[in-house]
Amino acid sequence: MAATTVNPDLARARAQATFDPLQLTHFIYDGPEKTNRKRYLQNIAIKESEEQGFRRNAELSREEQYEEALRKSTYAYRRTAELGLKDMTDIYIFREPLFPSEPSPLGLHESMFLTTIQKLGTTAQKEKWIPLAKCLGVVGTYAQTELGHGTFLRGLETTATYDAKTREFVINSPTTTSAKFWPGGLGKTSNHCVVMAKLNLDGRDCGMQSFIVPIRDVDTHLPLPGVSVGDIGPKFGYGGMDNGFLILKNVRIPRENMLMRYAQVQEDGTFVSPKNDKLVYGSMTLIRAQLVGSCARALSKAVTIATRYSAVRKQSEINPGAGEVQVLDFQTQQHRLFVQIATAYALSIAGRASIAAYNRVSAQIETGALEELPILHALSAALKAFSSWEMAYGVEQCRLACGGHGYSLASGLPKIYAHEVPACTYEGENTVLCLQTARFLMKCQESASRGEKLPSFVRYLNNAKNVTSKLSQDFKLEDLVAAYEHRAGRMIAEASKRIQDQLALGLKPAEAWNMSSQKLVDATIAFTHAFVVKAFIQTVSAAKFEPSLATVMQQLCQLYALYGITKYSGQFAQGGYLSDQQLDLVEKKLYDLLASLKPNAVALVDAFDFPDCVLDSDLGRYDGNVYEALMEFARRSKLNKSEVHEGFYKYQKPFVDSLKAQSKL
């Protein structure tokens, strides 16, 4: 990975490490064998990307970004098949250097269209559609969000009315606000989509169901009769993705195009409802579970860029007359970045826990056991919201840590931010997801009050008493977990009490819920924060690290937990759980940890093992040759193709000449 010459300041920062970063890389990627496999696939992709001459996103117009993304997508699809890659991790690793923090127009075809059919289709439907989709005989997307409605699924207006005479569904967008809006790949790429629509049987609303709807001719790619479809225009980011709109007018599809594994409409129009309504949202739950790890990876990239650059950048003096120092020497920069390093590792481990929970519950669902489905839904929703909020804040902190250069597209940070922050609103708006999890937590609180058995990760609700913390200056990891669980337990109990108090005032249940909603969101954040802290600490404690690395990882766990206590100090102090003296100790220890971690900062981000091609950043280069790269980027600006821009002759010079002429009058 290293270049022949490495910036000496970055090299010195690297040499200060007290542990071997490769040990940590093996931990991140589940061992030496998988690490080598990752590097092997990435090196193939990097070499081929150079051979294909794929252009840098930062230097393309929006239209060029989409065309280049299509070129990359078809190339990646073909090469994935030629290389025989079937494991989803292998496929992701191979494609990442081709799409560094960039979307693929075929992304939702694989992540949502195929997945939804696999999760919700009958055996016959899967046998028909999956082979077609895998060879791109049909190219699909997932159309749920509408112009006027998103996360509130019951508010979606698209209708699917069954015609028993023809055994067809008639799909309609009855209003302007019912137009499907935002699905990736819908604007120009897809010829089919899974449409979420309100099932209408003889005037009876049977809830939201999934339907496979052809929208373009598979040969000519022209829209089919009754279909109005197109791109929604430029966005904050996602230039390579054709997010689209879709309006359907009396579009007829065969009865067999309703995905009927769980909910069915028989030929005579009889509706067979699913055992659990949440089963029809299985693909969405999967995406939420996966998003936790994606958010962790995005933050890992951003903090790698900012940390390496902070070791190269020199600015100001600490001791007058001693000369400029590395920005990383300043405590304020350490506080900004080291917390994000710790957060990236914490979210990465939470992402593993999220996927493990999804896989476990999915296996149960396959056998017909649905008991843990509400738990999975609540956990995946909360973790998706928490991780995307943490990531969005963290990436912006990394950009700010890079000063003015962080604003340049050459830094890679604006692209990471613009590509990743939509996670705060897609697959469920975060506040709404928190409130969905809050309903589950309120049920758990009721069960706790009755002394009933609780899911393992909320068992502390039985112990949410007004106790004081054992936290002392040695900051044992178990005491930190206890602090977070106490905070979550108390806040969940208080949110429940708030609802009861509102009911006692005479409010209806829905009104009482709304008047308690911010407290419910805060309680959900506290619950999720406790889950992440515990998962981070338990995983690190169980890992078989060499002593030098074990010390550093324990420091990271402490930093992550202590930063959260300082950020939410009022919540931890409420009820006298933490005293002022303990909070003072927390703050002092946090500052001590910044100093302790400083020699290992670059090694900790090197351990993420991102090739330069994946970071796509002139600031985050492994060799640290930042300024040379920035100047080269500047010289390539399209405005520099001519020494004098035509706008000078068209506008600037005539205007200046007119001013000169007027001044002579």
Side-chain angles (χ1 to χ4, degrees):
M1 183 184 286
T4 50
T5 8
V6 177
N7 178 285
D9 292 310
L10 183 56
R12 278 193 294 272
R14 217 166 247 143
Q16 293 172 2
T18 61
F19 70 95
D20 179 3
L22 186 58
Q23 293 180 39
L24 189 50
T25 302
H26 290 163
F27 169 74
I28 294 170
Y29 296 103
D30 294 326
E33 186 177 336
K34 290 186 178 180
T35 298
N36 291 336
R37 174 71 171 171
K38 177 194 82 77
R39 290 178 171 181
Y40 167 74
L41 292 172
Q42 284 179 329
N43 287 336
I44 293 175
I46 291 166
K47 179 175 179 292
E48 295 185 5
S49 181
E50 292 171 352
E51 292 171 350
Q52 292 297 312
F54 291 135
R55 294 178 292 170
R56 194 174 185 184
N57 197 284
E59 300 176 18
L60 303 176
S61 69
R62 194 259 161 145
E63 291 73 20
E64 290 171 331
Q65 286 180 37
Y66 171 68
E67 184 176 351
E68 190 73 351
L70 265 184
R71 183 164 83 101
K72 289 179 181 179
S73 296
T74 52
Y75 180 82
Y77 217 94
R78 181 174 67 253
R79 289 296 290 137
T80 297
E82 289 172 353
L83 291 168
L85 302 181
K86 300 188 183 301
D87 179 78
M88 291 310 298
T89 300
D90 280 355
I91 293 171
Y92 175 85
I93 289 297
F94 175 75
R95 291 179 180 176
E96 192 179 30
L98 306 178
F99 296 93
S101 298
E102 297 168 12
S104 162
L106 294 177
L108 266 76
H109 171 76
E110 295 180 301
S111 67
M112 289 299 289
F113 183 74
L114 257 170
T115 300
T116 303
I117 294 172
Q118 287 170 333
K119 294 292 178 185
L120 303 183
T122 63
T123 300
Q125 287 173 324
K126 287 188 279 191
E127 288 175 351
K128 174 183 177 180
W129 291 103
I130 288 178
L132 279 171
K134 284 190 172 180
C135 70
L136 299 186
V138 297
V139 178
T141 186
Y142 180 85
Q144 177 173 296
T145 298
E146 297 176 354
L147 189 58
H149 288 90
T151 309
F152 182 59
L153 298 184
R154 284 175 291 159
L156 297 180
E157 299 175 87
T158 304
T159 59
T161 304
Y162 185 62
D163 184 344
K165 293 179 181 177
T166 61
R167 298 175 186 171
E168 293 174 316
F169 290 104
V170 184
I171 315 293
N172 268 296
S173 308
T175 63
T176 300
T177 51
S178 67
K180 295 297 182 184
F181 209 85
W182 280 109
L186 176 61
K188 292 295 174 184
T189 309
S190 300
N191 51 40
H192 282 67
C193 62
V194 170
V195 172
M196 290 293 287
K198 193 175 292 183
L199 175 60
N200 187 312
L201 295 176
D202 293 326
R204 181 166 63 98
D205 180 359
C206 295
M208 300 305 301
Q209 305 299 334
S210 304
F211 303 86
I212 300 176
V213 181
I215 56 172
R216 288 185 173 94
D217 186 281
V218 293
D219 293 318
T220 67
H221 210 57
L222 291 171
L224 295 171
V227 175
S228 176
V229 61
D231 182 79
I232 66 171
K235 307 166 291 285
F236 184 60
Y238 264 57
M241 178 68 86
D242 56 322
N243 298 84
F245 67 83
L246 175 66
I247 300 170
L248 302 166
K249 295 296 182 185
N250 296 318
V251 173
R252 287 180 170 266
I253 60 171
R255 184 184 70 89
E256 293 76 18
N257 278 30
M258 173 181 165
L259 294 175
M260 289 199 256
R261 180 179 182 183
Y262 297 115
Q264 292 110 32
V265 174
Q266 297 174 348
E267 288 188 5
D268 63 359
T270 301
F271 179 62
V272 180
S273 60
K275 293 180 181 179
N276 187 311
D277 289 340
K278 290 185 175 63
L279 285 169
V280 298
Y281 308 125
S283 55
M284 212 171 359
T285 304
L286 171 60
I287 296 299
R288 288 172 184 167
Q290 292 173 333
L291 274 172
V292 183
S294 297
C295 289
R297 196 158 179 83
L299 181 55
S300 302
K301 292 176 186 177
V303 80
T304 298
I305 293 167
T307 302
R308 286 178 179 170
Y309 176 63
S310 295
V312 170
R313 180 73 171 187
K314 289 186 175 181
Q315 190 157 305
S316 302
E317 298 175 328
I318 293 177
N319 296 309
E324 289 189 306
V325 298
Q326 291 170 300
V327 178
L328 203 58
D329 287 338
F330 291 99
Q331 188 188 67
T332 50
Q333 191 80 342
Q334 295 165 13
H335 187 267
R336 179 170 257 161
L337 292 181
F338 297 178
V339 166
Q340 300 312 322
I341 294 174
T343 301
Y345 277 99
L347 293 182
S348 178
I349 287 170
R352 295 187 193 184
S354 179
I355 290 296
Y358 177 84
N359 290 337
R360 187 187 74 253
V361 177
S362 291
Q364 293 173 358
I365 290 172
E366 292 297 323
T367 66
L370 306 180
E371 293 81 10
E372 289 199 67
L373 183 57
I375 298 174
L376 174 63
H377 180 263
L379 187 59
S380 63
L383 282 171
K384 179 268 183 188
F386 182 84
S387 62
S388 56
W389 269 330
E390 291 283 279
M391 172 274 299
Y393 174 80
V395 172
E396 175 65 357
Q397 290 304 301
C398 293
R399 185 188 71 81
L400 293 172
C402 293
H405 290 324
Y407 191 67
S408 169
L409 292 185
S411 74
L413 291 165
K415 183 174 68 168
I416 293 173
Y417 186 82
H419 178 66
E420 300 294 347
V421 295
C424 294
T425 45
Y426 63 56
E427 301 309 324
E429 193 278 328
N430 281 356
T431 300
V432 176
L433 290 184
C434 285
L435 289 170
Q436 290 177 7
T437 300
R439 291 194 183 278
F440 172 79
L441 295 176
M442 291 304 99
K443 291 177 182 176
C444 290
Q445 180 62 33
E446 291 173 12
S447 296
S449 67
R450 294 192 293 265
E452 297 172 358
K453 185 178 179 181
L454 298 174
S456 59
F457 53 83
V458 286
R459 229 155 257 167
Y460 52 79
L461 292 179
N462 289 318
N463 306 314
K465 307 289 192 303
N466 288 326
V467 296
T468 55
S469 172
K470 297 178 182 177
L471 200 62
S472 60
Q473 60 187 2
D474 57 359
F475 292 100
K476 293 179 181 177
L477 297 181
E478 60 266 30
D479 291 339
L480 292 171
V481 172
Y484 274 84
E485 290 189 338
H486 181 273
R487 167 204 178 206
R490 180 184 55 74
M491 292 180 68
I492 291 168
E494 288 178 356
S496 177
K497 185 178 183 301
R498 166 79 183 179
I499 294 173
Q500 297 309 313
D501 289 346
Q502 297 301 303
L503 291 171
L505 293 174
L507 272 65
K508 295 177 181 177
E511 295 170 336
W513 181 268
N514 181 52
M515 295 302 292
S516 308
S517 55
Q518 186 56 53
K519 206 163 185 65
L520 288 161
V521 169
D522 291 342
T524 300
I525 292 171
F527 153 75
T528 319
H529 207 169
F531 180 91
V532 173
V533 167
K534 187 173 185 176
F536 189 19
I537 286 175
Q538 286 186 336
T539 303
V540 166
S541 299
K544 296 177 180 178
F545 293 130
E546 292 292 325
S548 57
L549 178 55
T551 299
V552 174
M553 293 306 290
Q554 177 170 318
Q555 290 171 340
L556 268 191
C557 287
Q558 288 176 322
L559 179 63
Y560 180 71
L562 295 179
Y563 172 73
I565 292 175
T566 61
K567 183 178 179 181
Y568 298 102
S569 58
Q571 294 177 0
F572 284 93
Q574 195 166 343
Y577 183 74
L578 286 181
S579 66
D580 287 351
Q581 183 182 9
Q582 286 173 312
L583 289 174
D584 287 342
L585 287 174
V586 166
E587 187 177 58
K588 181 180 182 301
K589 179 64 174 179
L590 188 149
Y591 296 149
D592 290 344
L593 285 169
L594 297 179
S596 298
L597 285 165
K598 196 257 180 180
N600 289 304
V602 172
L604 282 166
V605 297
D606 281 352
F608 291 127
D609 206 43
F610 292 121
D612 284 350
C613 185
V614 168
L615 291 179
D616 192 22
S617 168
D618 290 341
L619 301 189
R621 295 166 58 106
Y622 187 84
D623 64 14
N625 295 322
V626 168
Y627 301 118
E628 297 85 351
L630 284 174
M631 275 307 307
E632 184 59 32
F633 179 82
R635 289 192 176 97
R636 288 198 305 271
S637 170
K638 291 179 181 178
L639 285 177
N640 293 330
K641 285 188 174 180
S642 60
E643 286 296 333
V644 181
H645 192 272
E646 62 179 358
F648 172 80
Y649 299 109
K650 291 172 67 175
Y651 305 111
Q652 184 177 343
K653 189 176 188 306
F655 179 67
V656 172
D657 288 346
S658 70
L659 292 179
K660 288 179 180 177
Q662 290 175 14
S663 68
K664 292 177 182 179
L665 296 178

